[in-house]
Amino acid sequence: EIARETDRVCGQLQGVSAEPIVLQISSPRVIDLTLIDLPGIARVPVGDQPLDIEQRLRRLVLDHIATPRCFILAVVAGNADLATADALAMAREVDPHGERTMGVVTKLDLVDSSFDALGVLEGRLYSLRQGFVGVVCRSFQDVKLGKDIKDHLDAEDQFFHSHRTLRSAASRCGIGHLSKRLNKLLMDKIRDALPDLKAQVQNLIHEHEAELRSYGESVTGRPLSEQGALLLSLFTKFAGQFGDAIEGKLATQRGDVPGQLVGRARIDFIFRDVFARTVRDFDTFTGLSDDEVRVAIRNATGPRASLFVPEAAFELLARKQITKLASPSLQCADLVFDELQRVLLLSEVPEFRRFAGLREQVFGVVRDILKRCLEPTKQMIRDLVDIELAYINTSHPSFIGSAGAL
């Protein structure tokens, strides 16, 4: 099963994938444990493996073992040097004090007499808070011949009890002892975390109960008149919320937009600061070159020489500049429209969480109203600009050439 899933996810050319293969084993003879078998670190890419295979595998392993809630089983071979063990080195990166790392020494049946296996298991060569456990796994030949796991566990136990140097640590070795240690550590972890979990569950229960009470009583089975009254009250409450949001009261109470202007204050800022500053800073000669002025005067006078600027040339140039005021005016309307859209989101009443469909309908209607009002507003702005373009009032007192200036 594992081989088929590996070929399906990674292909048959030894590719690498971060997608886990989940395998569930149920048996009355095994205890409850969740194990994540992480790959070893490959140094040289083979098949269709990427060139950065080592870096990818390191990231994959570190992403899993960096979680503080997980327990690390650092598997090392008994016939290899502990100083070069990748599992211990990577475990130390995320667990420098070895508090949640246990060493598992394999292949103890293959080590020679010169290797201090007992020193490793007793932690004299490399210290871990959870210590080391020695195991003897089934060989490939045993698996091929179908050797039963129970028979292997009996043979493993016999090996440790009859070994010349390891029999003193036989009670702390073996796959059976390892599974019991892991189960005890799991139970201890659950017992330590249970008070916090219980407190979190209680807080969630209180929060959901408060939310449930805020929804009110059920409307199922009530007369249509009562349902209509409830609907009308929701509309009234929403309208009040929208009005409060426009006035800026709602945002102050809820704290949704700290440090930002909202509602009427934001709209007033758009008119008095953004739009007004744009108009004040508007340069009447922007985009108007001397050549354009000269050409306009010549077109207005024709072949005759003119001592003063012809009125027709002035009106032509003035209309060109007045047209440029339309763009910031329309942009002001868009900014007000966007602010009203934001106010709409701030106006949501708690009951809308209970009636999600009603919420979408109400918001949709309000958005449609705002959109329908936006285009007439923009048309009025265009009409005002067209009015100014239709008649250049040179008699205005602010105009330098008006009668009051003579």
Side-chain angles (χ1 to χ4, degrees), residues 3 68 166 174 176 216 221-222 255 277 308 394:
L166 297 179
R222 288 191 176 187
R277 186 175 64 247
F308 301 102
T394 56

Side-chain angles (χ1 to χ4, degrees), residues 137-258:
C137 300
R138 286 188 301 171
S139 65
F140 178 76
Q141 187 68 21
D142 292 338
V143 176
K144 188 176 181 180
L145 295 176
K147 185 177 182 179
D148 186 70
I149 294 180
K150 186 178 182 304
D151 295 337
H152 172 74
L153 294 178
D154 294 338
E156 180 191 41
D157 184 68
Q158 180 63 29
F159 168 79
F160 283 114
H161 281 87
S162 61
H163 196 277
R164 184 170 55 88
T165 58
L166 297 179
R167 57 188 176 187
S168 61
S171 60
R172 305 189 304 273
C173 294
I175 297 175
H177 173 73
L178 176 62
S179 63
K180 293 178 182 178
R181 280 284 310 276
L182 292 178
N183 188 65
K184 184 178 183 305
L185 290 172
L186 179 61
M187 294 299 103
D188 293 343
K189 186 69 175 179
I190 293 175
R191 185 181 64 249
D192 295 339
L194 195 58
D196 292 336
L197 289 175
K198 184 178 180 181
Q200 294 178 14
V201 170
Q202 291 294 334
N203 291 334
L204 289 175
I205 291 175
H206 294 326
E207 291 177 4
H208 286 82
E209 287 179 346
E211 182 182 358
L212 185 62
R213 287 192 298 269
S214 68
Y215 291 156
E217 297 181 3
S218 174
V219 297
T220 304
R222 288 191 176 187
L224 292 178
S225 58
E226 293 186 12
Q227 296 182 19
L230 175 62
L231 191 62
L232 184 60
S233 67
L234 290 179
F235 291 159
T236 304
K237 187 175 182 180
F238 170 75
Q241 293 271 79
F242 191 83
D244 290 341
I246 290 290
E247 294 296 330
K249 300 176 183 177
L250 191 62
T252 304
Q253 296 172 0
R254 291 172 55 180
D256 289 331
V257 282

